[in-house]
């Protein structure tokens, strides 16, 4: 399994996910600007992975200030956190990880700066390690909703590339396969950036999970002509009432699944739950450049003159979500996250 981010002899690397599966290229992240650019360009992406990346980016960004005054160190911590937090607005894991780092730093305010940096480094590693554990627990809890023989439909990429570990929705699926269940997965290609086709199909191939790639607009046909046992997707931010943002197209899938009586599940670690917002209406949806729609990986497919929009996420309302699989278990409607 490819790790999206790793440390090697105190150097930080990420794998360029924009090139996968055609090319494997690792990139060294030398400072916070490298990391901010990588998160923005989706070189590293997926809600849990960008939380892990933000914490690691803060570490490399603060390293040059390890021998500076406490005042300057905290000034830089603030500045770098704001920069990293501003890279992508929808996934809450980003601010969750940065707030966690900040809380640790503030609890050591009167201690020597090198000790604070060292503790922050260990916190960034802990955020990564805990995500691996949360993925494993999500994979285990998710088994209660997967029959021994199952046809599952998924959207976007929620595997090892999007997290620190095995993945969330894909973690549930891969765990089912590892436990000997007879699994087949329909994979939405996930336009505009094709995370399903490029990353999920590739990860399922690597894990030898039988799967079939479909265009996003085939999902209704598949649900009406084949027996689909469940739709399982990830999430980028889950509000207190269970409304949840995920990759654009998820809401449509949830509507389709409900129409066809197919149970629709989301899988996410608790770092994706934002109890500070009451409903999905408060979730900020990232608007990306319309060129992502006019082009497919550098190839123009529409007139430059045609206006195009690229909202990266949509919000699925809680009544459409049959269950939310977290590391603490499977939550059911009505949802009250605190
Ligand atoms: O724009 P992306 O590729 O970062 O979007 C990713 C998704 O929407 C995933 O489904 C979500 O982050 C969950 S990843 C475990």
């Amino acid at each position: 399994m490819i790790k999206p981010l790793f440390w090697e002899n105190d150097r930080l690397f990420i794998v360029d996910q924009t090139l996968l599966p055609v090319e494997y290229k690792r990139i060294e992240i030398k400072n916070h600007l490298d990391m901010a650019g990588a998160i923005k360009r989706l070189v590293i992406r997926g809600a849990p992975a960008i939380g892990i990346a933000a914490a690691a980016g803060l570490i490399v960004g603060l390293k040059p200030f390890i021998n500076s005054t406490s005042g300057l160190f905290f000034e830089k911590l603030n500045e770098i956190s704001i920069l990293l937090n501003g890279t992508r607005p929808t996934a809450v894991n980003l601010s969750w990880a940065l707030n966690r780092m900040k809380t640790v730093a503030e609890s050591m305010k009167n201690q020597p700066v090198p000790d604070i940096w060292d503790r922050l480094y260990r916190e960034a590693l802990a955020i990564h390690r805990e995500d691996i554990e949360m993925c494993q627990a999500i994979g285990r809890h998710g088994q209660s909703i997967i029959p021994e023989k199952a046809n599952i439909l998924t959207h976007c990429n929620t595997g090892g590339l999007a997290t620190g570990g095995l993945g969330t929705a894909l973690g549930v699926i891969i765990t089912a396969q590892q436990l000997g269940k007879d699994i087949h997965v329909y994979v939405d290609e996930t336009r505009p950036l094709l995370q399903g086709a490029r990353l999920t199909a590739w990860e399922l191939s690597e894990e030898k999970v039988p799967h079939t790639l479909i265009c996003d607009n085939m999902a209704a046909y598949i649900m009406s002509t084949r027996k689909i046992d469940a739709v399982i997707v990830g999430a980028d931010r889950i509000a207190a009432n269970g409304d949840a943002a995920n990759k654009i197209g998820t809401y449509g899938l949830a509507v389709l699944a409900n129409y066809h009586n197919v149970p629709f599940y989301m899988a996410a670690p608790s770092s994706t739950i934002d109890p500070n917002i009451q409903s999905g209406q408060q979730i900020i949806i990232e608007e990306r450049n319309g060129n992502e729609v006019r082009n497919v990986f550098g190839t123009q497919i529409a007139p430059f003159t045609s206006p195009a929009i690229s909202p990266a996420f949509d919000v699925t309302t809680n009544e459409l979500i049959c269950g939310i699989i977290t590391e603490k278990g499977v939550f059911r409607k009505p949802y009250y996250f605190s």
Side-chain angles (χ1 to χ4, degrees), residues 167-187:
T168 57
L170 220 58
V172 172
I173 293 168
I174 291 169
T175 304
Q177 152 97 359
Q178 288 171 349
L179 290 171
K181 294 186 180 178
D182 183 0
I183 303 294
H184 172 268
V185 189
Y186 284 101
V187 182

Side-chain angles (χ1 to χ4, degrees), residues 103-267:
T103 305
V104 166
E106 266 155 19
S107 73
M108 296 180 70
K109 202 140 199 173
N110 299 322
Q111 298 189 34
V113 171
D115 291 358
I116 305 177
W117 185 86
D118 199 54
R119 178 70 186 76
L120 286 175
Y121 183 24
R122 283 184 285 118
E123 193 67 14
L125 297 181
I127 288 173
H128 196 162
R129 194 178 54 244
E130 286 166 26
D131 191 69
I132 296 173
E133 291 161 3
M134 287 194 282
C135 286
Q136 281 165 349
I138 290 169
R140 275 197 310 274
H141 288 302
Q143 296 317 306
S144 62
I145 61 115
I146 310 257
E148 285 303 314
K149 181 173 168 54
N151 237 337
I152 297 164
L153 196 149
T154 193
H155 191 66
C156 196
N157 173 260
T158 60
L161 288 166
T163 64
L166 193 58
T168 57
L170 220 58
V172 172
I173 293 168
I174 291 169
T175 304
Q177 152 97 359
Q178 288 171 349
L179 290 171
K181 294 186 180 178
D182 183 0
I183 303 294
H184 172 268
V185 189
Y186 284 101
V187 182
D188 272 358
E189 62 173 352
T190 318
R191 269 285 276 152
L193 297 180
L194 302 171
Q195 289 92 331
R198 295 185 302 105
L199 308 175
T200 300
W202 181 70
E203 287 189 321
L204 289 173
S205 301
E206 292 285 297
E207 298 293 331
K208 307 209 173 357
V209 180
H211 60 280
T212 305
L213 183 61
I214 60 170
C215 296
D216 301 329
N217 53 7
M218 297 174 189
Y221 172 75
I222 296 292
M223 284 189 210
S224 67
T225 55
R226 315 251 201 299
K227 185 178 177 320
I228 301 295
D229 298 285
V231 174
I232 315 178
V233 299
D236 286 82
R237 190 183 293 244
I238 302 171
N241 71 350
D243 291 349
N246 190 48
K247 178 54 57 196
I248 190 76
T250 301
Y251 172 46
L253 261 191
V255 172
L256 283 179
N258 277 262
Y259 182 81
H260 291 97
N261 289 319
V262 174
F264 177 91
Y265 293 98
M266 285 185 147

Side-chain angles (χ1 to χ4, degrees), residues 7 9-11 30 32 57-68 73 80 117 121:
W7 295 87
N9 304 325
D10 285 341
R11 289 163 69 195
K30 295 200 169 123
H32 55 286
L58 184 61
I59 289 301
V60 287
L62 284 174
K63 201 168 183 185
F65 303 97
I66 215 164
N67 292 316
S68 69
F73 185 82
I80 296 170
W117 185 86
Y121 183 24

